[in-house]
Amino acid sequence: MTDSRIATVRLGATGPEVGVQGLGCMGMSFAYGPSDADESRATLERALDLGVTLYDTADAYGAGENEKFLAPFFKAHRDEVVIATKFALAIHPDDPTKRIIRNDAPYIRQCIEASLKRLDVDAIDLYYMHRRDVNVPIEETVGVMAELVREGKVKQLGLSEVTAGELRAAHAVHPIAAVQSEWSLFSRDIEPKVLPAARELGVTLVPYSPLGRGFLTGSFARAEDLTSDDFRRQQPRFTGENAAANAALLDPIREVADAHGASLGQTALAWVQQQAAVHDLPVIPIPGTRKPGRVEENTAATRIVLTEEELALLEPIAAKVAGDRYADMSFASSGRE
């Protein structure tokens, strides 16, 4: 495994140069079952060694615990890292186990102050609207976010799971640096509309779950393989007949992986990384992991170049995937396009 640092790309039209692969930090505190804090801290340090500089979190991850966990690492490396966090997923007032979406001004103001405090920073480098509340005009939401930029609390703005129309409307209020959406060999619904809009506006694409929430690595084949507190047990693609059908779709990925002496995960990541050239726009996937060895494996994928024949072999996979990305697709951009 090489120690070569990954290449860099500009984040947004006027943002900083960051590594062409970021790190999703959610699983260090939330959603994917038990984690080891020391191993997670080692993962953060190893990622930075390898040139990963964009670190992604959100106030919803562990009800703020993920931001708190990351704060000491960010403080130790403040000049080397780009911090991305998000607002919008609030606890339901009548049921603490459920989430609602809020994009209103008082809530955004509350969230930014809480995130700044938990992260122990003066400004957040990239502040995302995590999900879209269709009851609040996006122009109003981005208007408040723009005020945070003018006040020096935020440096750049991002949106997550928005439609092409929502992106254009938001960008007309204030430049949007990045759009974060699920994008992988299993999830390509942003390609017809969102990608062209991002390219037109000079917006960077930040794919989350580029490894299909781990399914594309072959690390599990069905929801029952996961711990009882793993949220993937509730996702349609990993349950029942859907899981069996989707597991069969890994065969062409194995074929390409074998040709490169690579893992399934590296091949899936290489495909996402290569979409920057295919679609002519900056792409910075944020695979999540809690293990230093996985960061080494993931960053090595940035140096794998798939042939046209291999890309063609992988092309049909997404259209054959069984099950939606979420049980409730109204939270996703494709549910509103």
Side-chain angles (χ1 to χ4, degrees):
M1 190 69 69
T2 179
D3 278 354
S4 299
R5 289 173 64 85
I6 60 176
T8 62
V9 65
R10 187 168 301 283
L11 179 63
T14 61
E17 288 278 325
V18 298
V20 294
Q21 187 180 110
L23 181 64
C25 302
M26 178 179 76
M28 296 178 180
S29 308
F30 174 73
Y32 290 118
S35 63
D36 182 293
D38 289 339
E39 190 169 47
S40 291
R41 281 188 281 268
T43 300
L44 295 168
E45 296 286 353
R46 186 64 180 132
L48 189 59
D49 289 343
L50 293 167
V52 174
T53 52
L54 177 63
Y55 293 80
D56 186 88
T57 182
D59 61 3
Y61 299 161
E65 290 303 313
N66 195 237
E67 289 180 328
K68 291 180 183 177
F69 174 77
L70 295 169
F73 170 74
F74 291 155
K75 187 170 185 177
H77 301 286
R78 188 64 189 98
D79 294 338
E80 303 169 81
V81 300
V82 173
I83 302 170
T85 193
K86 316 176 193 73
F87 73 89
L89 293 177
I91 295 174
H92 195 290
D94 300 322
D95 186 348
T97 67
K98 295 181 179 179
R99 297 298 180 103
I100 59 173
I101 303 174
R102 288 188 60 180
N103 289 173
D104 56 283
Y107 184 71
I108 297 171
R109 289 282 177 183
Q110 172 188 327
C111 288
I112 187 64
E113 296 303 332
S115 286
L116 287 169
K117 183 176 181 180
R118 285 190 294 262
L119 290 164
D120 192 21
V121 294
D122 296 326
I124 290 165
D125 300 309
L126 178 59
Y127 200 42
Y128 285 104
M129 180 190 77
H130 203 162
R131 289 294 187 271
R132 168 90 170 98
D133 179 357
V134 296
N135 297 309
V136 179
I138 197 164
E139 293 87 350
E140 290 185 18
T141 299
V142 177
V144 178
M145 296 170 72
E147 291 174 5
L148 302 181
V149 175
R150 290 191 289 272
E151 293 165 12
K153 296 176 180 179
V154 171
K155 295 180 182 178
Q156 289 188 290
L157 302 184
L159 305 171
S160 181
E161 287 288 356
V162 291
T163 67
E166 291 164 350
L167 174 57
R168 288 193 172 94
H171 196 80
V173 176
H174 187 280
I176 302 299
V179 165
Q180 185 175 132
S181 288
E182 186 168 354
W183 194 16
S184 72
L185 281 168
F186 266 27
S187 301
R188 300 179 59 180
D189 46 27
I190 66 169
E191 291 182 22
K193 296 182 180 180
V194 177
L195 279 184
R199 182 173 58 244
E200 169 194 326
L201 299 171
V203 176
T204 298
L205 249 296
V206 179
Y208 73 82
S209 297
L211 294 172
R213 302 193 184 281
F215 195 85
L216 289 167
T217 69
S219 60
F220 74 101
R222 55 181 188 156
E224 291 79 6
D225 297 338
L226 305 167
T227 57
S228 60
D229 56 349
D230 193 310
F231 91 117
R232 291 173 291 181
R233 290 177 69 96
Q234 313 303 321
Q235 293 194 299
R237 290 183 172 177
F238 309 138
T239 58
E241 295 180 356
N242 287 349
N246 293 335
L249 299 178
L250 301 184
D251 289 343
I253 307 175
R254 287 192 181 91
E255 181 178 337
V256 175
D258 289 345
H260 287 269
S263 68
L264 283 171
Q266 285 179 315
T267 305
L269 267 178
W271 181 88
V272 177
Q273 300 279 177
Q274 205 156 328
Q275 298 311 298
V278 172
H279 292 279
D280 189 29
L281 82 171
V283 176
I284 308 170
I286 48 169
T289 186
R290 302 174 289 196
K291 299 179 183 297
R294 289 294 187 195
V295 168
E296 294 169 358
E297 179 180 334
N298 291 346
T299 53
T302 66
R303 293 181 285 276
I304 296 173
V305 179
L306 306 179
T307 66
E308 291 297 323
E309 292 76 16
E310 289 167 340
L311 290 172
L313 182 64
L314 300 175
E315 180 67 24
I317 292 174
K320 299 177 182 178
V321 173
D324 285 332
R325 296 198 277 129
Y326 295 100
D328 180 2
M329 284 296 289
S330 65
F331 277 48
S333 59
S334 57
R336 300 190 304 278
E337 282 284 13

